[in-house]
């Protein structure tokens, strides 16, 4: 017997056997319950494994809809009116981008993302997204950034935006007001809730926002509700590590208030997301493996009748065989092509569609474009309990754009349509615009008394009002009294402590404050013991939604690891991206919940903006408030840890965020003044700023606060110590952070050994000095006359002598104020990679220790011809200055 005959015979036997098994399963389904089916399948699996049969492991279900036709709920809306409204929104979204690029070629904008996701949004707007009311905060929605034209278009139809606004899309400075390119609360503070277009950030921010909502409930700061956090993202965006990196946190915390909707249009900017694979199946496995409820919306209702006839599973099997690159090809191909390439692999599949014309086959929808399928998925998602849900909706990128961009690799960058394409789009979606007008791509809005307008208003009223909508007015907090900070103004009276210890003590005091203590949110990425913060464990408790289900190993110690349902500390583990996301959620609670929570996020300073800079930038965009505290800061202060940990540049990174106020305090009283001022600015005066404070782990005496220096601390510069030495030689040393002690030591050497009258200035913020000076220069420039003198110049302009700045940061930090320093100015800093060594050795290596500060001062005096060559030569030997030492910038 030939091999072909054997293969054919075995194939027939396989089909017969398969039919018998399927018939048995159908019998149990018809006569029993789903639980009975699950039990039988489990027993079969056990028997197979006991017999040595290794079953293939998979988290995947067949490539069909999770919710079958039989389980689909009745659609509650008016399909005709909703289709009409969606078509109008589609037109206006497209017209907005087309008009913008006609007015200013290359201004940009995106049509295809919203075109693919219109149904996903419209079902949400008409049936699920709850707006904010007087008694309910409503849902929080992270709209996919590239879909912003569609969200603007709907707001226009609702009457929230004008034709002028839409006409000024991406022209924010135009007369009448424009619209930002993407969701940006900084630019449209009463409209957008969240910035989302830096791809990957919305998913992780959404997860931690949902958890923070639970945190507020468990701590009694807000009433429990069933509001949802919706996160819309694209399938291509899932490649960003932040998109999927926190999935298990959401399931671990049982965040059933969280819903992801992933628009699986199978395309990235350049081509397919997974041309040789299946992104929906890949994402399903990832989310199910992470413990999420997964709902797949793959096929529209056109496919239901075919799947009902698929008693042998042939169609479902074929659906699972085809890769995404081929599905993308089908989206731009004729029905005849699909009949041949998809159904033509098996005569039985061809028979299934024999009654359909090629045109009907070509028109068969994907699930994400079917309102009833999407509604069923959303309804199941909002009703699901015990875990977060993800909806994987299959769509076509550029849906409705026709030949100009539907399903093509160029779809993402499609910004223009020619006259014929505009006519086809108009006709496809039945927009009442004449041929004579269509080339102008005019905006269209139905009459106020039209059925469409009545319906859209009725649906939003039922759901609580407009979205997106951001709260801009909140109830302010009262700044704690000076008495809370008084002990820190007095200094430590000879006792050596670090600035980190002083900060932790201040935080502990604030947590006890009757007025604001309950609103403080300490956030720690698994470094509490490193920073000496473990005492807060018992004082405040570590937040856990389930409390503490175990007896901790250190339960008999005073500072044991205490978890509690009403715990105040967010202990995020080794997870800076998650920690900063919690900071953002807490720092924007005033806008989302009208609750002024005050986050203090304390972390290894090196792992702040350098690691999560994009999220820090998003915090600025979000008008976030709170304190970022970079502990163990400074290139030479964190001794021993080496290159990866020693931070000498965070203050440069913070300077790039316009509303981030940064300080490098040297003493406990400076920290106290800065924190009190920050609370006053952010929570009493409601300024849209947030603070960064660097603190170190070096212990030294904290002096009492000199009189009259508070303003200088806040502005960034004040005289800490004025010399009483009478001398013709004069120097001014500027110090900050832990290097302030080297400056004070240098002052002593200069005065006692080299007869230089030396004043010491504390410079807690070069960044604030520079910003204020730039504001002054801009004001003078635009007014055409110098009426405003920068603060740094005001403070120093009457001082004689030379100026030397030293910090534990790169030289460019101190150098940033050079043009406003009224005299010779030398800057010392820590440019270069760190390394493992003692503080003494590191400061010598980076040339920021006392002897190098003294030497820099003498060099400057020599350049000013105030000391001779002999003095300089002698000093070089005395100070042991080695001109041939390693260069720290390149070593």
């Amino acid at each position: 017997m030939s091999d072909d005959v054997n293969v054919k015979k075995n194939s027939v036997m396989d089909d017969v056997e398969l039919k018998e098994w399927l018939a048995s399963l159908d019998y149990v389904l018809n006569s029993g319950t789903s639980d009975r089916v699950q039990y039988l399948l489990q027993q079969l699996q056990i028997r197979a494994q006991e017999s040595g049969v290794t079953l293939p492991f998979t988290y995947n279900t067949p490539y069909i809809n999770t919710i079958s036709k039989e389980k689909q709920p009745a659609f509650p809306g008016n399909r005709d009116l909703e289709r009409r409204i969606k078509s109008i929104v589609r037109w206006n979204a497209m017209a907005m981008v087309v008009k913008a690029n006609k007015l200013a070629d290359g201004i940009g904008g995106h049509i295809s993302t919203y075109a693919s996701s219109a149904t996903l949004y419209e079902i949400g707007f008409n049936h699920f997204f709850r707006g904010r009311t007087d008694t309910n905060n409503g849902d929080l929605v992270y709209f996919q950034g590239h879909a912003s034209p569609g969200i603007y278009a709907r707001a226009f139809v609702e009457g929230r935006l004008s034709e002028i606004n839409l006409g000024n899309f991406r022209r924010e400075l135009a007369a009448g007001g424009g619209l930002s390119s993407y969701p940006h609360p900084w630019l449209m503070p009463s409209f957008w809730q969240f910035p989302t277009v830096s791809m990957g950030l919305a998913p992780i921010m959404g997860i931690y926002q949902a958890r923070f909502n639970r945190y507020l409930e468990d701590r009694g700061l807000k009433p429990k509700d069933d509001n949802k956090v919706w996160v819309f993202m694209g399938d291509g965006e899932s490649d960003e590590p932040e998109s999927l990196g926190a999935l298990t946190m959401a399931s671990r915390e049982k965040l059933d208030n969280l819903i992801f909707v992933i628009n699986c249009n199978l395309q990235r900017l350049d081509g397919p997301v997974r041309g040789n694979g299946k992104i929906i199946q890949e994402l399903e496995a990832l989310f199910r493996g992470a413990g999420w409820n997964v709902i797949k919306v793959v096929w529209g209702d056109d496919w239901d009748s075919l799947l009902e006839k698929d008693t042998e599973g042939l169609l479902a099997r074929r659906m699972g065989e085809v890769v995404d690159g081929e599905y993308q090809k089908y989206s731009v191909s004729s029905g005849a092509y699909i009949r041949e390439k998809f159904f033509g692999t098996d005569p039985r599949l061809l028979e299934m569609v024999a009654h359909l014309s090629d045109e009907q086959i070509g028109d068969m929808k994907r699930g994400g474009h079917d309102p009833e399928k999407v509604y069923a998925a959303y309804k199941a998602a909002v009703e699901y309990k015990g875990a977060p849900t993800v909806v994987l909706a299959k769509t076509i990128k550029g849906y409705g754009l026709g030949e100009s961009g539907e399903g093509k690799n160029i779809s993402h960058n499609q910004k223009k349509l020619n006259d014929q394409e505009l006519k086809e789009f108009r006709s496809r979606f039945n927009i009442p615009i004449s041929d004579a007008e269509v080339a102008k791509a005019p905006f269209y809005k139905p009459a106020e008394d039209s059925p469409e307008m009545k319906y859209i208003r009725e649906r939003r009223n039922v759901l609580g009002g407009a979205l997106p909508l951001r709260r801009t007015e909140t109830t302010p907090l009262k700044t704690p009294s000076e008495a809370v900070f008084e002990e820190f103004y007095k200094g430590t009276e000879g006792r050596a402590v670090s600035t980190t210890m002083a900060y932790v003590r201040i935080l502990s005091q604030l947590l006890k404050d009757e007025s604001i203590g309950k609103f403080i949110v300490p956030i720690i990425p698994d470094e509490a013991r490193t920073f000496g913060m473990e005492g807060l464990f018992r004082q405040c408790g570590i937040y856990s939604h389930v409390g503490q289900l175990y007896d901790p190993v250190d339960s008999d110690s005073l500072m044991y690891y205490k978890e509690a349902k009403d715990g105040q500390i967010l202990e995020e583990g080794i997870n800076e991206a998650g920690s900063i996301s919690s900071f953002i959620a807490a720092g924007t609670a005033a806008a989302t919940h009208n609750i002024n929570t005050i986050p203090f996020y304390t972390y290894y300073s090196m792992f702040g903006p350098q690691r999560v800079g994009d999220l820090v930038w998003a915090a600025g965009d979000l008008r976030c408030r709170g304190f970022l505290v970079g502990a163990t800061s400074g290139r030479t202060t964190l001794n021993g840890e080496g290159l990866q940990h020693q931070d000498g540049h965070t203050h440069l990174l913070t300077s790039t965020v316009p509303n981030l106020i940064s300080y490098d305090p040297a003493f406990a009283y400076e920290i106290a003044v800065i924190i009190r001022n920050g609370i006053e600015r952010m929570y009493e005066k409601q300024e849209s700023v947030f603070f960064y404070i660097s603190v170190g782990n070096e212990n030294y005496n904290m002096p009492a606060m000199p009189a009259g220096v508070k303003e200088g601390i806040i502005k960034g510069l004040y005289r800490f110590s004025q010399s009483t030495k009478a001398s013709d030689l004069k120097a001014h040393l500027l110090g900050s952070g832990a290097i302030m002690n080297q400056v004070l030591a240098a002052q002593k050497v200069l005065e006692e050994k080299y007869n230089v009258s030396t004043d010491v200035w504390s410079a807690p913020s070069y960044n604030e000095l520079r910003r204020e000076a730039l504001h002054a220069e801009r004001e003078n420039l635009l007014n055409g006359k110098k009426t405003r003198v920068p603060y740094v110049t005001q403070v120093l302009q009457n001082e004689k002598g030379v100026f030397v700045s030293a910090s534990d940061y790169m030289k460019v930090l101190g150098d940033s104020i050079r043009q406003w320093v009224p005299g010779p100015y030398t800057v010392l800093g820590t440019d270069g990679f760190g390394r493992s060594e003692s503080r003494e050795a590191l400061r010598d290596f980076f040339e920021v220790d006392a002897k190098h500060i003294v030497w820099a001062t003498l060099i400057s005096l020599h350049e000013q011809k105030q000391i001779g060559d002999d003095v300089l030569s002698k000093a070089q030997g005395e100070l042991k200055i080695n001109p041939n030492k390693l260069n720290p910038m390149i070593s």
Side-chain angles (χ1 to χ4, degrees), residues 142-366:
Y142 292 75
F143 293 98
Q144 191 178 354
H146 291 96
S148 58
I151 311 306
Y152 288 140
R154 183 172 235 276
F156 165 68
V157 176
E158 291 178 0
R160 300 177 61 208
L161 296 176
S162 68
E163 278 200 34
I164 292 175
N165 296 145
L166 264 63
N168 289 338
F169 173 59
R170 293 199 168 208
R171 296 171 63 241
E172 297 176 68
L173 302 179
L179 302 176
S180 62
S181 54
Y182 303 116
H184 292 299
W186 183 263
L187 301 173
M188 297 179 67
S190 61
F191 191 84
W192 291 115
Q193 291 178 308
F194 307 102
T196 56
V197 81
S198 185
M199 290 189 284
L201 300 195
I204 194 169
M205 288 195 298
I207 288 172
Y208 282 85
Q209 180 67 60
R211 198 276 296 267
F212 190 72
N213 291 359
R214 285 281 172 78
Y215 169 91
L216 293 174
E217 293 173 358
D218 288 341
R219 289 197 53 224
L221 295 177
K222 88 176 190 68
K224 294 184 183 297
D225 57 43
D226 62 347
N227 294 336
K228 304 296 182 184
V229 175
W230 297 79
V231 177
F232 285 80
M233 61 180 282
D235 47 359
E237 187 175 356
S238 67
D239 285 336
E240 290 284 1
E242 296 91 345
S243 293
L244 307 178
L247 296 185
T248 54
M249 198 280 275
S251 56
R252 184 172 65 248
E253 297 284 332
K254 298 179 171 56
L255 298 180
D256 51 21
N257 61 339
L258 174 66
I259 299 170
F260 273 28
V261 180
I262 303 185
N263 175 20
C264 298
N265 59 36
L266 314 185
Q267 288 183 243
R268 289 191 292 230
L269 279 68
D270 293 334
V273 177
R274 296 289 184 273
N276 295 313
K278 301 177 82 64
I279 187 61
I280 288 178
Q281 298 299 85
E282 181 180 321
L283 291 173
E284 178 190 31
L286 282 166
F287 278 91
R288 291 188 73 197
W292 287 53
N293 174 42
V294 179
I295 301 174
K296 293 194 293 192
V297 186
V298 185
W299 308 105
D301 59 6
D302 311 295
W303 295 85
D304 286 339
S305 60
L306 299 183
L307 287 166
E308 286 174 7
K309 294 190 290 184
D310 186 31
T311 57
E312 300 177 62
L314 292 170
L315 179 57
R317 193 182 313 151
R318 179 61 180 152
M319 289 171 166
E321 291 171 350
V322 178
V323 296
D324 285 354
E326 190 67 13
Y327 277 121
Q328 185 187 353
K329 175 73 170 178
Y330 294 157
S331 69
V332 299
S333 301
S334 66
Y337 181 91
I338 298 169
R339 186 191 300 274
E340 176 191 352
K341 299 296 184 181
F342 181 78
F343 294 102
T345 57
D346 191 305
R348 291 167 293 182
L349 291 176
L350 282 172
E351 181 60 28
M352 278 188 192
V353 293
H355 65 293
L356 298 176
S357 67
D358 289 346
E359 184 178 1
Q360 287 174 312
I361 290 176
D363 288 342
M364 293 171 74
K365 292 191 296 293
R366 296 184 180 181

Side-chain angles (χ1 to χ4, degrees), residues 103-158:
L103 288 170
D105 190 26
I107 198 74
H110 301 274
I111 303 172
S112 59
T113 296
Y114 181 74
S116 68
S117 55
T119 299
L120 304 179
Y121 287 116
E122 281 302 302
I123 292 299
F125 278 119
N126 287 325
H127 301 284
F128 293 98
F129 299 160
R130 285 169 291 188
R132 190 178 75 229
T133 67
D134 293 337
T135 57
N136 191 295
N137 281 312
D139 291 348
L140 303 176
V141 185
Y142 292 75
F143 293 98
Q144 191 178 354
H146 291 96
S148 58
I151 311 306
Y152 288 140
R154 183 172 235 276
F156 165 68
V157 176
E158 291 178 0

